[in-house]
């Protein structure tokens, strides 16, 4: 079912229960579980509750009909408008509609996704015991941690604006501030702020506040410029992790994590280290703007935007880490916390509501994330122009793990399987089987390419050899030098 609260009668026979559809018999009146589902849909993606339908073991539906729809409708609205039962009524009259199917009447209740200001939507007057979310298993009780995350997102003042009066700007890493100011000065040549002393400059960018006659950090300043051991005193779950997995025979080929102790561990330094690592093998065609060479392509800028988006939208109180991973065929960026405006609005663009406004401002001032509300749509557009497979955005809910947002950026051509390959074998599964059979002894990439009669070296490498290595079905003969001209492959 597309959309949050759509229901089309002609598709009734093809519908099945999922994270946006729930059916209930309602033979004896309104079922108690109705209100759990109302809360879960409102706190997740929205959805439809359908009364007068039974689901069989094979997951097919059958109408069982409702006896007195008028009374059922009245009972529903009486409870919906009772604040002791439901924390907020998100519905309009048009959101509750009855239909007739094969002589049976059903009642369809369309529940919209609640805005961040209205979450958590809870029942029975108990926020912590009566808040639900939805996953593919159905409705589940939210943990206290999940409820607190929703409460944090309610506020217009984001958590990173908090004044930390027990700290001082001497707790900031001086080299981080110096590196940031170099970037700022390069972008804002001759701006009055470039001449300010550090304490005044930090106040201007939102990293510090003049509080009771003393310059003290904001939470954003501590996250951006602090030392990791001090950051974790304010944000105990704080952890940043970059993993490079370019060789399946090695756990990771490179790693940067905030607890290593050999660097500051703060957000700015993490960004400064990770961005060039991710884009190290991106092509840089010769381009100039006036007398200067342009070092970054739109693809570089899109990845830079994605990293900043991940960092400024993280809920740093959640018990999960920021994880950015670089594979041969993709980049994934995962952060604790859902999209404040919802995934659909994020993909549309035009409105910006970062979870950490001061962090967003500080990145913005050095030219990162500078187009409010257009970041993710711009990434999709760049990927389309580059003719790469389309990115994906996923929100993960679950009682056993904190909520997460995951952006996946494929690095394979969208037309790799058609435009580049000219093999007589149309099925990639068959091609992989042939490679495994051919590589009973060591073979070079050129030999594999010739054997399959495929013209494109890139197609063979990206769509066939690399996936087989990642699947553990093929291995390199020189694993510590993947790019060696003497590299060969053998089936495992």
């Amino acid at each position: 079912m597309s959309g949050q609260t759509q229901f089309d009668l002609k598709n009734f026979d093809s519908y099945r229960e999922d994270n946006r559809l729930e059916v209930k018999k309602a033979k004896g009146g309104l079922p108690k579980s109705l209100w759990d589902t109302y809360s879960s849909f409102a706190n997740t993606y929205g959805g439809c509750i359908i009364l007068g339908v039974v689901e069989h073991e094979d997951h097919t539906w059958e109408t069982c009909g409702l006896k007195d729809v008028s009374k059922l409708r009245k009972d529903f609205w009486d409870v919906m408008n009772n604040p002791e039962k439901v924390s907020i009524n998100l519905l309009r009259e048009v959101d509750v509609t009855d239909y007739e199917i094969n002589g049976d009447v059903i009642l369809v209740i369309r529940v919209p996704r609640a805005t961040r200001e209205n979450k958590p939507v809870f029942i029975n007057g108990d926020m912590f015991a009566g808040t639900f979310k939805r996953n593919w298993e159905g409705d589940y009780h939210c943990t206290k941690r999940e409820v607190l995350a929703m409460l944090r997102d309610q506020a217009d003042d984001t958590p990173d604006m908090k004044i930390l009066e027990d700290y001082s700007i001497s707790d900031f890493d001086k080299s981080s501030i110096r590196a940031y100011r170099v970037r700022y000065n390069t972008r804002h040549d001759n701006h009055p702020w470039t001449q300010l002393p550090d304490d005044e400059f930090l106040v201007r960018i939102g990293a510090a506040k003049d509080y009771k006659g003393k310059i003290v950090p904001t939470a954003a300043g501590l996250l951006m410029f602090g030392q990791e051991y001090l950051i974790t005193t304010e944000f105990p779950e704080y952890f940043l992790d970059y993993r490079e997995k370019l060789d399946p025979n090695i756990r990771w080929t490179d790693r940067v994590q905030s607890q290593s102790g050999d660097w500051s561990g703060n957000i700015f330094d993490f960004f400064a280290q990770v961005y060039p690592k991710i884009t190290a093998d991106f092509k840089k065609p010769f381009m100039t703007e006036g007398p200067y060479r342009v070092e970054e392509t739109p693809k570089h800028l899109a990845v830079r935007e994605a990293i900043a988006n991940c960092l400024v939208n993280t809920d740093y109180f959640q018990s999960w880490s920021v994880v950015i991973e670089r594979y041969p065929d993709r980049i994934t960026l995962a952060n604790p916390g859902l999209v404040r405006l919802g995934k659909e609005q994020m993909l549309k663009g035009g409105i910006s509501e970062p979870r950490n406004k001061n962090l967003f401002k500080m990145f913005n001032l050095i030219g990162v994330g500078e187009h409010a509300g257009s970041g993710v749509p711009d990434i999709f557009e760049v990927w389309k122009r580059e003719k790469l497979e389309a990115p994906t955005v996923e929100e993960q809910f679950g009682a056993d793990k904190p909520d997460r947002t995951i952006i996946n950026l494929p690095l394979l051509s969208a037309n790799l399987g058609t435009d580049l390959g000219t093999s007589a074998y149309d099925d990639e599964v068959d091609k992989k089987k042939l490679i495994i059979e051919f590589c009973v002894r060591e073979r070079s990439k050129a030999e594999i390419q010739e054997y399959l009669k495929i013209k494109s070296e890139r197609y063979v490498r990206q769509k066939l050899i690399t996936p087989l290595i990642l699947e553990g079905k093929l291995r390199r003969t020189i694993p510590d030098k993947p790019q060696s001209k003497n590299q060969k492959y053998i089936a495992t």
Side-chain angles (χ1 to χ4, degrees), residues 177-444:
I177 296 172
R178 187 164 52 250
Y180 180 91
R181 295 201 69 167
V182 168
R183 290 192 183 220
Y184 179 88
N185 293 349
T186 302
R187 186 168 182 79
H188 301 274
D189 190 29
N190 297 322
H191 192 280
W193 291 7
T194 62
Q195 304 303 316
L196 293 173
D198 281 349
D199 57 352
E200 292 184 40
F201 177 77
L202 292 167
V203 170
R204 299 297 177 94
I205 68 172
K209 285 282 187 182
D210 188 339
Y211 181 74
K212 297 181 180 179
K214 178 185 174 185
I215 304 297
V216 298
T218 62
L222 185 66
L223 287 164
M224 195 74 160
F225 302 122
Q227 293 281 351
E228 186 271 343
Y229 75 94
L230 289 173
I231 295 173
T232 54
T233 61
E234 188 67 25
F235 300 92
E237 307 295 344
Y238 173 86
F239 187 67
L240 309 176
D241 197 1
Y242 169 70
R243 306 165 185 169
E244 197 171 86
K245 300 181 178 181
L246 301 182
D247 187 334
N249 297 312
I250 304 172
R251 189 177 181 187
W252 46 68
T253 50
D254 195 3
R255 191 182 186 197
V256 178
Q257 54 102 349
S258 56
Q259 293 181 355
S260 63
D262 54 354
W263 60 287
S264 68
N266 62 46
I267 287 175
F268 176 72
D269 287 344
F270 181 77
F271 171 83
Q273 290 188 71
V274 168
Y275 169 59
K277 288 178 182 291
I278 290 180
T279 58
D281 62 352
F282 285 14
K283 291 181 180 178
K284 294 182 180 179
F286 185 80
M287 297 184 297
T288 60
E289 284 185 6
Y292 302 104
R293 173 160 183 184
V294 178
E295 292 291 333
E296 295 177 307
T297 66
K299 187 177 173 185
H300 284 81
L301 299 180
V303 169
R304 191 178 73 180
E305 183 75 34
I307 298 170
N309 179 83
C310 176
L311 294 171
V312 304
N313 285 298
T314 289
D315 183 344
Y316 289 101
F317 289 100
Q318 288 272 32
S319 58
W320 201 267
S321 59
V322 169
V323 178
I324 299 176
E325 295 177 305
R326 175 68 153 89
Y327 295 89
D329 61 341
R330 69 191 185 280
I331 303 163
T332 63
L333 307 100
N335 63 269
L338 304 176
V339 183
R340 280 186 106 207
L341 284 171
K343 184 174 79 170
E344 292 185 11
Q345 182 59 56
M346 177 192 195
L347 296 174
K348 289 177 186 176
I351 303 175
S352 178
E353 273 202 15
R355 176 166 278 108
N356 297 288
K357 291 181 181 178
N358 270 3
L359 285 178
F360 177 82
K361 175 184 177 181
M362 284 187 272
F363 274 114
N364 182 280
L365 288 170
I366 56 173
V368 181
E370 53 191 320
H371 301 297
S374 63
V376 172
D378 283 352
I379 293 168
F380 274 68
E381 184 58 34
V382 168
W383 247 241
K384 183 178 179 181
R385 290 201 303 268
E386 293 283 327
K387 296 183 179 179
L388 297 168
E389 292 179 6
T392 59
V393 178
E394 179 186 1
E395 288 182 299
Q396 290 185 351
F397 304 86
D400 57 331
K401 294 179 181 179
D403 296 337
R404 306 181 81 204
T405 301
I406 301 171
I407 295 180
N408 182 58
L409 303 177
L411 297 174
L412 298 178
S413 167
N415 300 313
L416 207 53
T418 54
D419 293 350
L420 302 179
T422 56
S423 169
Y425 305 100
D426 295 327
D427 188 349
E428 283 178 9
V429 174
D430 288 343
K431 295 173 190 175
K432 290 179 180 178
K433 287 180 180 177
L434 287 170
I435 290 175
I436 292 169
E437 292 171 2
F438 184 60
C439 291
V440 290
R441 65 181 180 84
E442 296 175 359
R443 307 281 189 178
S444 69

Side-chain angles (χ1 to χ4, degrees), residues 24-36 49 51 72:
K24 300 180 186 294
K25 297 178 188 177
K27 295 288 284 184
L30 295 175
K32 292 180 180 179
S33 63
L34 166 64
W35 308 110
D36 300 358
I49 305 169
L51 306 183
L72 205 65

